[in-house]
Amino acid sequence: MSERQTSAKVAPTRTPAFEARLKKRYASERRFKALGLSAIVFSLAVLVFLLATMTINGIGGFQRTEMKVPIDFPSMGLSMNAQIASEQEAVQRLSGQGLREVVQFSAEEALGEEAAQNLNGEAWRQVAEAIYIDPGMLQREEVFWLPASEDLASAYAGDGQIALQPLAQELAEAGNLDNRFDTGFLSRADATDPQLVGIWGALKGSILTMVVTLLLAFPIGVLAALYLEEYAPKNRWTDLIEVSINNLAAVPSIIFGLLGMAVFLWLFPSYRSAPLIGGMTLALMTMPVIVISGRNAIKAVPPSIRDGALAIGASPVQVVFHHVLPLALPGILTGTIIGMARALGETAPLLLIGMRAFVATPPDGFTDNATVLPMQIFLWSDEISRGFVERTSAAIIVLLAFLLLMNGLAIYLRNRFEKKW
Amino acid sequence: MSPAIPLLLALGLGLAGWLVARARAWTFKRTAPHGRIAALPSYHAWYAALWIGVPLLIWFVLWDSISQQLVFSYVLASPEAATLPDFGLRREAILIEARTIAEGSATRVLNDESYALAEPFRQAMARFDIIGIVIGLLIAAAGAAWAFLRLKPDFAARTKVERLVLATLLIASLVAILTTLGIFVTLVFETVRFFGMVSPLDFLFGTQWNPDPMSTSPNPDGDRYGAIPLFWGTLFIGAIIAMIVAIPLGMMSAIYLTQYAAPRVRAWVKPALEILAGVPTVVYGYFAALTIAPFIRDVANSLGYANASSESALAAGLVMGVMIIPFVSSMADDSIAAVPQAMRDGSLAMGATTNETIRRVIVPAALPGIVGGVMLAVSRAIGETMIVVMAASTAANLSANPLESMTTVTVQIVALLTGEGSFDHPATLAAFALGFVLFLVTLALNFIALRVVKRFREAYE
């Protein structure tokens, strides 16, 4: 009771002006906090919007518009014995026997002449491939879902030629035209028709390029990191090496493209647009990332381990290769995966060294003409047809999935092997 | 010859040498006094394997480049080559095609003359492959002889092997210097050639950019190579528009995450923001060109601005800014974290609200680090290629209106080098000059930024 009386006697510290000022300061505090939150929300919203746009567009890209064509093989008089060696040969032989006309004729019978004209010109190949896998098909009637022409596909999607839209509608209502999951999208290579394109060519090119990059950048990066961290004397040369590695990490990627173009294409003019050259160029770009992360991982290995090994008579090389490197390896791997993820998404340097050619067959080796996934996205983005818009987004989904996988692996490795000494 | 053959040969012979040498080293144990040898048997084995494998590999790498020249001269000397066109692109195309046929990697080609040349190519390649392998085997035998003659019980194989390992490490770290040197020499060399044709003053201070890769005049018009509009476009998109987006958003995100957010929120939001930096730039470029640019044009049109370009600087800059956000925010995060807790506690104890503490104490203290981070972000933005290649225009335009189309240095490098121009044309060389300017500017920005960050860090230690 008495306390309250004494406090009442003290002159009020909170004058109305003070109260007003305090209110203002708190309001400003709330505004500031809201501003910070909205910055984050905005950034994340952009990310979500980006991913959502790609996913919504891209889901359609995994599908294609296909027509239902029943083919009654026994009545068509095709013959093919089971001992055909290669698919290529089988397709050629069936083409010689008039498979193309058979497919066209069956489509006309089932769907009418106008619809048959809008069957994709390469649809019969799919039938030929199916026969190659299962020659017994020739003894029975089989129902195929075959790709429609690009025009009909865009008419079915609601744009493109107005004249075709009624036909598309009619076929769809009869259940003969539908957007179906395109199993071939992951197994075919580039083409000029969005109905026939696939991603395997670019994906394989990416894989080959990444293999070259990894084989070059990883050993060189790790060895350089070991040298700098464990053996390098403190002198002007070491400083020069350090400065150039840090600088390389900051050089814009397109400059590496200029280097690759001027040096690698001059050394190996016949390997233009081959994964070998692409991988070499990207390796130069990835190497500094691996060196820097590798040095941090090596630095984190406590000196007591080195001292212990030296004390029982190991040579400096044995210390590093028997003790330090195995302990630092998880950290180095994390850095390597992050560097490789960057290289996988990189386009600009490859643009300059010529990996932008149209490549319709997946590359078979490191010296074949190839393209990579981001480059395929870039090339398709130049196509105006609606079909390609969806295909591009689908390719982006595949690329992002790969990147997510790699980054997830890096995070997993980091958590799994993180050590406190 | 496919690269697998020499590789397998070197590995196989090396392994054989390894096994034989190790077996031999074990026999030393019996003959040596007290059964001790100077190095473990496996070091003897490595010594032999390295002496066999390494020279062999070096030889095959050398032979690969030598034999290509020899094959060409052999083919050109063959009677079938008499029908070749004299010089120029067609001749080269035929030669390259003939070789792909001979290698078996292409079955059908564009020029029919190639088929006739394939046979001499095949002969030449077979002949030089055999020569290469025979010499390679001789080299391997010599290496093996050298190594085996030196294997003795008291031979210090470990020291020798370790010296080689150290040399390998040193060489690996020299790759960085070689790359830097390669970049520098390439850029300087081509830039000097370019400046032999176009005056540096015209290039650096001219305001008209309109190179014509198809023109054939030996001395080009210097007026067409004024790079000021490119520098302006680069600056405007990368350093102005992108930074207007990235700096406030990045800063505020960093402040919120470090000062306000609960640790659990921070643990989720920070990596989520970092995804923004991990999205490939080609995806951003596609997003900008497909979604953002048309949207901006439509908004501008509906606001009554009729001339908005569908390749506006604004679209490219905005998207680039979004890409840079995590970069700015993590740099700001680091430098805010470096401000000592005592300073924050002191300010709060005086009765300041959190935001007053942040604005009056933390941000000023962290400012050098933040500025350094922003400079790094700028250097990244002006070197960024795919976003601007896909979303910005190729037409040079000196304007301050973000709704107009503009071009950047990187866009022009790509445009000039992916065209049909020959390597000696000033338009092609101009790309290298632009690359050189870009290289110098980004290096300078990085250098200054790192200096600023480093100096600031030391202040509290």
Side-chain angles (χ1 to χ4, degrees):
Chain A
M1 218 45 198
S2 66
E3 265 179 41
R4 192 175 289 167
Q5 279 169 351
T6 44
S7 72
K9 275 179 200 158
V10 175
T13 49
R14 297 197 159 187
T15 60
F18 180 92
E19 289 283 354
R21 214 161 47 231
L22 195 61
K23 220 172 173 181
K24 227 169 115 186
R25 285 171 64 202
Y26 282 161
S28 122
E29 169 74 21
R30 276 193 301 276
R31 272 203 306 276
F32 191 75
K33 200 172 163 184
L35 212 62
L37 189 61
S38 54
I40 290 176
V41 169
F42 176 81
S43 311
L44 293 181
V46 173
L47 179 65
V48 169
F49 180 60
L50 172 87
L51 295 179
T53 321
M54 293 306 156
T55 315
I56 292 166
N57 277 334
I59 295 239
F62 288 108
Q63 298 178 324
R64 68 173 169 183
T65 312
E66 293 179 354
M67 264 189 226
K68 190 172 167 187
V69 180
I71 302 177
D72 181 20
F73 287 112
S75 69
M76 297 298 171
L78 288 170
S79 72
M80 189 175 103
N81 51 12
Q83 283 94 25
I84 284 187
S86 76
E87 192 173 315
Q88 192 89 29
E89 195 189 332
V91 171
Q92 264 169 20
R93 287 236 337 234
L94 286 163
S95 160
Q97 289 180 27
L99 180 68
R100 194 178 191 139
E101 289 74 21
V102 166
V103 171
Q104 203 66 28
F105 175 74
S106 304
E108 252 172 62
E109 289 279 283
L111 308 169
E113 197 177 335
E114 202 189 353
Q117 275 169 10
N118 280 299
L119 194 64
N120 198 295
E122 300 293 307
W124 65 276
R125 278 182 191 277
Q126 195 181 322
V127 179
E129 281 155 20
I131 295 175
Y132 171 70
I133 293 165
D134 176 16
M137 210 176 255
L138 291 173
Q139 315 308 326
R140 56 178 189 261
E141 187 179 338
E142 193 78 20
V143 177
F144 287 95
W145 280 93
L146 298 176
S149 72
E150 195 190 333
D151 290 339
L152 188 66
S154 58
Y156 182 54
D159 49 25
Q161 294 177 31
I162 309 279
L164 276 175
Q165 284 184 9
L167 173 67
Q169 206 116 55
E170 189 187 309
L171 284 168
E173 270 161 25
N176 290 327
L177 184 72
D178 198 6
N179 280 332
R180 290 165 56 93
F181 181 73
D182 177 14
T183 47
F185 181 63
L186 292 176
S187 64
R188 288 185 307 252
D190 199 8
T192 47
D193 180 343
Q195 287 279 81
L196 298 174
V197 297
I199 215 172
W200 176 235
L203 197 57
K204 199 171 173 193
S206 266
I207 293 170
L208 291 175
T209 309
M210 287 300 110
V211 167
V212 176
T213 306
L214 187 67
L215 286 182
L216 288 174
F218 183 69
I220 295 179
V222 171
L223 294 180
L226 282 177
Y227 179 76
L228 289 177
E229 210 48 55
E230 296 288 329
Y231 303 112
K234 268 274 155 229
N235 62 20
R236 219 185 308 155
W237 275 104
T238 316
D239 283 349
L240 195 64
I241 295 174
E242 284 209 47
V243 168
S244 53
I245 286 175
N246 290 335
N247 276 346
L248 281 183
V251 170
S253 62
I254 192 167
I255 303 284
F256 288 98
L258 288 175
L259 175 73
M261 182 179 190
V263 175
F264 293 152
L265 285 188
W266 173 69
L267 282 177
F268 311 98
S270 52
Y271 294 156
R272 198 181 173 84
S273 95
L276 185 67
I277 302 286
M280 280 156 73
T281 309
L282 291 180
L284 294 183
M285 210 185 82
T286 316
M287 193 262 302
V289 180
I290 298 180
V291 174
I292 291 171
S293 69
R295 288 187 69 175
N296 288 332
I298 293 166
K299 221 182 271 174
V301 176
S304 57
I305 288 181
R306 297 181 183 86
D307 297 343
L310 283 173
I312 57 167
S315 72
V317 171
Q318 286 172 328
V319 169
V320 165
F321 282 92
H322 295 176
H323 301 277
V324 176
L325 189 57
L327 289 173
L329 211 53
I332 299 177
L333 282 183
T334 315
T336 305
I337 295 171
I338 289 169
M340 293 299 289
R342 219 180 96 184
L344 177 65
E346 194 57 71
T347 325
L350 302 180
L351 204 56
L352 294 191
I353 59 160
M355 290 188 87
R356 62 199 298 278
F358 174 78
V359 182
T361 47
D364 277 328
F366 294 109
T367 52
D368 282 357
N369 269 355
T371 191
V372 294
L373 208 42
M375 189 62 71
Q376 190 75 81
I377 292 166
F378 175 65
L379 293 175
W380 283 352
S381 74
D382 266 355
E383 306 271 353
I384 32 172
S385 136
R386 186 191 146 86
F388 269 113
V389 174
E390 291 187 330
R391 294 298 200 179
T392 312
S393 302
I396 286 177
I397 293 178
V398 175
L399 178 62
L400 288 179
F402 263 90
L403 288 176
L404 223 60
L405 218 67
M406 287 173 83
N407 284 315
L409 187 67
I411 292 171
Y412 170 78
L413 276 178
R414 184 155 47 199
N415 293 342
R416 175 90 169 67
F417 292 103
E418 201 165 50
K419 250 187 205 151
K420 290 266 186 284
W421 301 95
Chain B
M1 180 163 39
S2 98
I5 297 173
L7 207 64
L8 286 179
L9 204 61
L11 284 179
L13 289 177
L15 182 69
W18 194 87
L19 290 171
V20 174
R22 201 177 62 146
R24 201 170 136 75
W26 276 110
T27 65
F28 292 154
K29 279 217 162 207
R30 264 175 273 129
T31 53
H34 316 299
R36 282 181 65 87
I37 48 176
L40 290 175
S42 70
Y43 281 105
H44 286 91
W46 278 114
Y47 183 75
L50 289 172
W51 263 107
I52 295 170
V54 173
L56 197 58
L57 278 183
I58 294 176
W59 161 251
F60 277 118
V61 170
L62 274 179
W63 182 245
D64 192 51
S65 51
I66 301 171
S67 70
Q68 287 200 5
Q69 304 299 324
L70 291 176
V71 165
F72 269 110
S73 53
Y74 179 91
V75 170
L76 289 179
S78 71
E80 286 89 342
T83 56
L84 274 174
D86 275 349
F87 280 99
L89 285 174
R90 202 171 133 72
R91 179 190 170 97
E92 275 176 31
I94 292 175
L95 281 172
I96 289 175
E97 280 180 357
R99 209 183 57 193
T100 54
I101 301 175
E103 282 171 348
S105 55
T107 46
R108 239 181 296 158
V109 290
L110 297 170
N111 297 304
D112 288 334
E113 293 94 324
S114 315
Y115 293 104
L117 275 176
E119 191 48 38
F121 254 115
R122 212 167 288 148
Q123 283 172 8
M125 287 193 317
R127 166 181 293 197
F128 287 111
D129 279 358
I130 290 173
I131 295 178
I133 289 179
V134 168
I135 298 181
L137 288 177
L138 288 178
I139 291 176
W146 169 261
F148 278 101
L149 285 178
R150 302 191 68 183
L151 294 190
K152 293 197 178 71
D154 58 350
F155 176 59
R158 192 181 82 181
T159 345
K160 301 276 180 197
V161 171
E162 291 193 344
R163 204 172 293 160
L164 196 86
V165 170
L166 279 181
T168 317
L169 295 186
L170 181 63
I171 290 170
S173 59
L174 288 182
V175 170
I177 290 191
L178 273 181
T179 312
T180 311
L181 206 69
I183 290 177
F184 203 75
V185 169
T186 310
L187 294 179
V188 168
F189 182 69
E190 307 286 347
T191 306
V192 166
R193 275 174 73 194
F194 175 67
F195 285 152
M197 301 182 198
V198 175
S199 135
L201 292 178
D202 285 345
F203 175 71
L204 288 175
F205 300 109
T207 54
Q208 289 296 321
W209 178 263
N210 190 19
D212 179 11
M214 288 296 126
S215 79
T216 47
S217 67
N219 261 327
D221 199 356
D223 297 346
R224 300 173 82 92
Y225 290 93
I228 288 284
L230 309 186
F231 298 148
W232 167 248
T234 309
L235 216 69
F236 193 57
I237 294 178
I240 299 178
I241 302 177
M243 289 307 133
I244 287 176
V245 176
I247 294 173
L249 286 173
M251 281 279 296
M252 288 311 291
S253 307
I255 287 174
Y256 188 85
L257 285 179
T258 50
Q259 309 296 320
Y260 292 108
R264 278 179 65 95
V265 176
R266 184 180 150 86
W268 281 100
V269 171
K270 206 170 144 68
L273 275 184
E274 271 158 13
I275 295 180
L276 278 176
V279 172
T281 52
V282 68
V283 176
Y284 277 118
Y286 186 63
F287 181 62
L290 189 82
T291 313
I292 303 296
F295 175 74
I296 286 176
R297 187 199 51 210
D298 293 345
V299 168
N301 280 342
S302 66
L303 290 178
Y305 183 83
N307 293 337
S309 163
S310 61
E311 296 176 318
S312 60
L314 189 60
L318 284 180
V319 172
M320 197 188 279
V322 169
M323 183 190 86
I324 301 285
I325 288 174
F327 202 69
V328 174
S329 87
S330 72
M331 291 298 288
D333 203 325
D334 287 351
S335 43
I336 287 173
V339 177
Q341 185 66 26
M343 285 173 74
R344 181 175 10 235
D345 293 345
S347 168
L348 290 173
M350 294 293 289
T353 61
T354 315
N355 98 69
E356 285 160 354
T357 308
I358 291 165
R359 282 187 302 182
R360 306 267 168 81
V361 178
I362 295 177
V363 170
L367 204 57
I370 294 172
V371 170
V374 167
M375 287 174 84
L376 287 181
V378 169
S379 96
R380 220 177 134 125
I382 65 176
E384 171 46 45
T385 310
M386 290 322 287
I387 295 180
V388 280
V389 164
M390 292 167 85
S393 126
T394 49
N397 184 5
L398 198 58
S399 152
N401 183 346
L403 293 173
E404 280 185 34
S405 57
M406 248 169 252
T407 192
T408 70
V409 169
T410 47
V411 170
Q412 287 304 314
I413 293 176
V414 170
L416 293 174
L417 289 182
T418 52
E420 299 292 312
S422 80
F423 242 109
D424 298 322
H425 197 280
T428 312
L429 296 176
F432 285 91
L434 288 175
F436 192 45
V437 173
L438 183 66
F439 178 72
L440 290 183
V441 171
T442 49
L443 270 198
L445 278 172
N446 277 292
F447 185 71
I448 299 169
L450 289 179
R451 265 309 190 41
V452 169
V453 172
K454 211 171 173 182
R455 260 184 105 150
F456 160 72
R457 286 272 160 76
E458 281 162 2
Y460 295 111
E461 273 169 3

